[in-house]
Amino acid sequence: MSRISKEQVKHVAHLARLAVTEEEAELLTEQLDKIIGFAEELNELDTDNVEPTTHVLELKNVLREDEVRNSVSVDEAMKNAPAQKDGQFKVPNILE
Amino acid sequence: MSILDKKISELHQLLHTKELSVTDILDATFDRIHQVDGKVKAFLTLNEEYSRIKAKQLDEKLVSGADRGLLFGMPIGIKDNIVTKGIRTTCASRILENFEPIYDATVVERLNQADTITIGKLNMDEFAMGSSNENSGFHPTHNPWDLSCVPGGSSGASAASVSAGEVLFSLGSDTGGSIRQPAAFCGVVGLKPTYGLVSRYGLVAFASSLDQIGPVTRNVEDNAYLLQAIAGNDPMDSTSAKVDIPDYLASFTGDVKGLKIAVPKEYLGEGVEPGVKERIMEALKVLEGLGATWEEVSLPHSRYALATYYLLSSSEASANLSRFDGVRYGLRSDNSDNLIEMYKQSRSEGFGEEVKRRIMLGTFALSSGYYDAYYKKAQKVRTLIKEDFTNIFEKYDVIIGPTTPSASFKCGSMTKDPLTMYMNDILTIPVNLAGVPAISVPCGFSDGLPIGLQIIGKHFDESTIYRVAHAFEQATDHHKEKPKL
C-alpha cells in the first residue's frame, strides 16, 4: 500500500508554494513514498518515555536591552528587490 | 616546493623575513586557479580585483610594522552559502543567481579582522543539499584526484579547491557531513565544530539545529589556525554558545599516550568497503604505536540516524526556505498575475529538483496529521542517538571510524535514486544529530582515491580532536600526497 497519494502530493505542493506538473507529481509521489517508507523504520523504536530533542545545547532565552541601534537603509533593503516602487517592494495584485 | 604547499606558520615566517610578500602569495594563488580551475570548476565567483587591492594594503602594513591579524595575508575561499557584503552569494541556486548581500556573515567579519583575503566564492550542492556537488544549479565540481569522480558535497568545492592547491584553505558548512565527506573524498582536513561554537549569523540556513560552519585545510595545524579565528560567541546568533575558546594551537603536543579510543562496530560493519576498513585498522595501529588504546563499542541507534536526519533536516529546510518568495530578493517569475501564483512560479523556476524534493518531504512531515508520526518521532529518536554518544564519552576520549563507507564515486553514478545518494552520509550524520565535533583527516587510499579517518570528540573538546589528528598526521605521510592535475 502506498503511504502517500498523488492528491496528497499536490496538496503538500500547494502548502509549500510549489507549482508541480502532472508528471512531477507522479515522480514525487513515487520518490516521497520510498523515502517515507524508509523513515518508518523509526517505528521499530519505543519512544513513549523519551523527550524530544529540539536543540543539542542547553539553551535559554537570549535577551538584551531594547535599545535603538543602526538598521539597514531603505536603499540597502531595496538593493536586491526584483520589483519596487517608491521605496517599497512591489508585488502582483493581492485583492481582486 | 610551491608557495602554496607551505603551512600558514611557514608563510608567516617568510613574510616576516620579507622573503615573500602578500602579493606574491596572492599571485601564486590566482596563477594556480587560472591553471586548473577550468578542470576542477570549484569557483562560482572570483574576487580578483578587490583581492589585489587588499594584498597591496596588507603589504603596506607589513612594511609599516603595524599589528598583523592571526591569518595575516592568507587568501581564502568561502562556500557560497556564507554571505559576503558586495560579493555575489548564490547558494549555487538559480533563485539567488544575482543576489548581492548587504552585510558580511560574522565568520567573514572575523576573517577580515584576521587579515585574510576573500578571493572568491565556492560551488556547492544547491542550498547545501547533496553529497556530490552534482546538485549545483550552475555546474558540477570535479574531484582533483580523478576528474571523472565527484568531490563529495555539499562543500565539495571547498574541499576540491584546497586539494587542487588553488587556495590555502576555505570555509565550508556541515549539516549532515557536508565538510567531512568532501574532505575525505578530496584528501584534505575538514572539521565540523561543536554545534554553537561558530556563529551561524550570515550562513544561509538549511537546517538550523544542525548547521555549523567549519574550516577545510591541507593540514591539521592550519585547521586550528582557521578555527581560532572564527570560533566564539556572537550576539547576532542566539544559538551561539557562551564558552571560553582555548588556544587550539597549544593542542599540538604530539602526545596521545593513554588516550582511550572507542571504535563503534557499526562504523566498520555492513556497507563499509574493505578498502576503507583496512585504512582505518592501519590508522588504529599507528595510534596504538603512539601509546593510545582502543576498544570496540556500540552506537546502537546509529542505524536510525539517516531516517531521523532526513525528517528533521527537511522539515527545518521547508521552513527556512519559505523566505525565498520572489518579493524582497531573488528570482521572480514573470509568468503570473496574482501573488500566490507568483510565489509558486518563482520557487518552482528557481529551485532545483533535490531542493524541491526536500521542501516537499519537510512540508509533509510537518503537516497536520503527520507531525507526531514523523517530525516528533524523529526528534525523540534524536534524543536516543545523542545519548549513545554521551554514554560512550563517559569512558572514552574520542570515537574513531571512517568518514564515509566508500571512496569517491563516478559523476552521474548515483543521481537516479535519492536514497542511495543519502547513504553516503550514514557515518557523519549521527555527529550532527548529537551536536558533537568531528574531523576528517587523510588516512591513505583505496584504488587511488583518498580515504578519510573520522575523529569524533566531546562537546567543545576540539582540542583533543586536534591533538589526536595532529599526532596521527605527524606519524604518517598521507597528507603530503597531492593530486596530479
Side-chain angles (χ1 to χ4, degrees), chain B residues 220-222 224-225 248-255 463 466-467 470-471:
Chain B
V220 178
E221 188 184 293
D222 286 359
Y225 263 98
Y248 295 116
L249 295 166
S251 322
F252 303 136
T253 59
D255 184 10
S463 294
Y466 278 142
R467 178 160 60 92
H470 182 255

Side-chain angles (χ1 to χ4, degrees), chain B residues 246-306:
Chain B
D247 178 1
Y248 295 116
L249 295 166
S251 322
F252 303 136
T253 59
D255 184 10
V256 292
K257 274 195 195 72
L259 182 91
K260 285 189 237 142
I261 303 169
V263 180
K265 62 174 190 228
E266 294 82 2
Y267 277 48
L268 292 170
E270 205 186 322
V272 180
E273 285 185 4
V276 174
K277 275 186 216 173
E278 283 165 26
R279 296 296 92 75
I280 303 308
M281 295 318 289
E282 287 164 11
L284 288 169
K285 278 218 178 73
V286 170
L287 290 167
E288 260 183 331
L290 296 170
T293 56
W294 67 272
E295 282 177 330
E296 191 178 276
V297 299
S298 175
L299 292 169
H301 297 97
S302 58
R303 58 176 290 232
Y304 300 101
L306 193 61

Side-chain angles (χ1 to χ4, degrees), chain B residues 90-112:
Chain B
T90 67
C91 295
S93 180
R94 292 280 171 195
I95 212 164
L96 286 177
E97 192 164 3
N98 300 309
F99 178 64
E100 238 181 56
I102 56 169
Y103 70 99
D104 275 325
T106 297
V107 288
V108 173
E109 222 170 72
R110 288 185 182 175
L111 288 173
N112 286 336

Side-chain angles (χ1 to χ4, degrees), chain B residues 122-368:
Chain B
L122 292 159
N123 198 16
M124 51 188 280
D125 287 296
E126 185 179 5
F127 286 106
M129 297 174 188
S131 313
S132 70
N133 256 49
E134 291 165 298
N135 293 341
S136 166
F138 302 107
H139 54 73
T141 294
H142 299 278
N143 192 318
W145 291 93
D146 179 345
L147 293 168
S148 68
C149 288
V150 303
S154 65
S155 314
S158 299
S161 60
V162 172
S163 166
E166 296 180 80
V167 67
L168 280 168
F169 48 53
S170 66
L171 285 186
S173 69
D174 192 316
T175 304
S178 282
I179 289 174
R180 290 159 288 153
Q181 185 252 19
F185 279 13
C186 294
V188 295
V189 180
L191 176 89
K192 184 207 85 83
T194 308
Y195 183 83
L197 183 71
V198 177
S199 167
R200 293 186 295 111
Y201 181 66
L203 170 67
V204 179
F206 161 17
S208 309
S209 80
L210 301 159
D211 298 340
Q212 193 57 193
I213 295 171
V216 181
T217 58
R218 293 277 194 86
N219 58 71
V220 178
E221 188 184 293
D222 286 359
N223 206 277
Y225 263 98
L226 191 42
L227 183 66
Q228 198 81 53
I230 60 172
N233 181 252
D234 175 17
M236 299 302 279
D237 173 3
S238 62
T239 61
S240 151
K242 285 188 176 160
V243 289
D244 291 330
I245 304 302
D247 178 1
Y248 295 116
L249 295 166
S251 322
F252 303 136
T253 59
D255 184 10
V256 292
K257 274 195 195 72
L259 182 91
K260 285 189 237 142
I261 303 169
V263 180
K265 62 174 190 228
E266 294 82 2
Y267 277 48
L268 292 170
E270 205 186 322
V272 180
E273 285 185 4
V276 174
K277 275 186 216 173
E278 283 165 26
R279 296 296 92 75
I280 303 308
M281 295 318 289
E282 287 164 11
L284 288 169
K285 278 218 178 73
V286 170
L287 290 167
E288 260 183 331
L290 296 170
T293 56
W294 67 272
E295 282 177 330
E296 191 178 276
V297 299
S298 175
L299 292 169
H301 297 97
S302 58
R303 58 176 290 232
Y304 300 101
L306 193 61
T308 304
Y309 172 83
Y310 276 94
L311 288 172
L312 294 180
S313 66
S314 302
S315 297
E316 292 184 27
S318 74
N320 277 325
L321 269 61
S322 65
R323 62 170 58 91
F324 301 102
D325 57 5
V327 173
R328 292 151 301 158
Y329 40 73
L331 182 138
R332 174 185 296 192
S333 168
D334 297 326
N335 305 322
S336 50
D337 50 8
N338 72 64
L339 191 66
I340 298 284
E341 275 311 305
M342 189 278 279
Y343 291 153
K344 286 186 179 178
Q345 290 301 331
S346 301
R347 289 163 64 77
S348 297
E349 289 169 27
F351 290 139
E353 243 179 81
E354 180 66 20
V355 172
K356 286 188 227 178
R357 190 153 49 231
R358 299 216 200 176
I359 291 174
M360 289 289 292
L361 176 64
T363 307
F364 173 74
L366 291 175
S367 66
S368 165

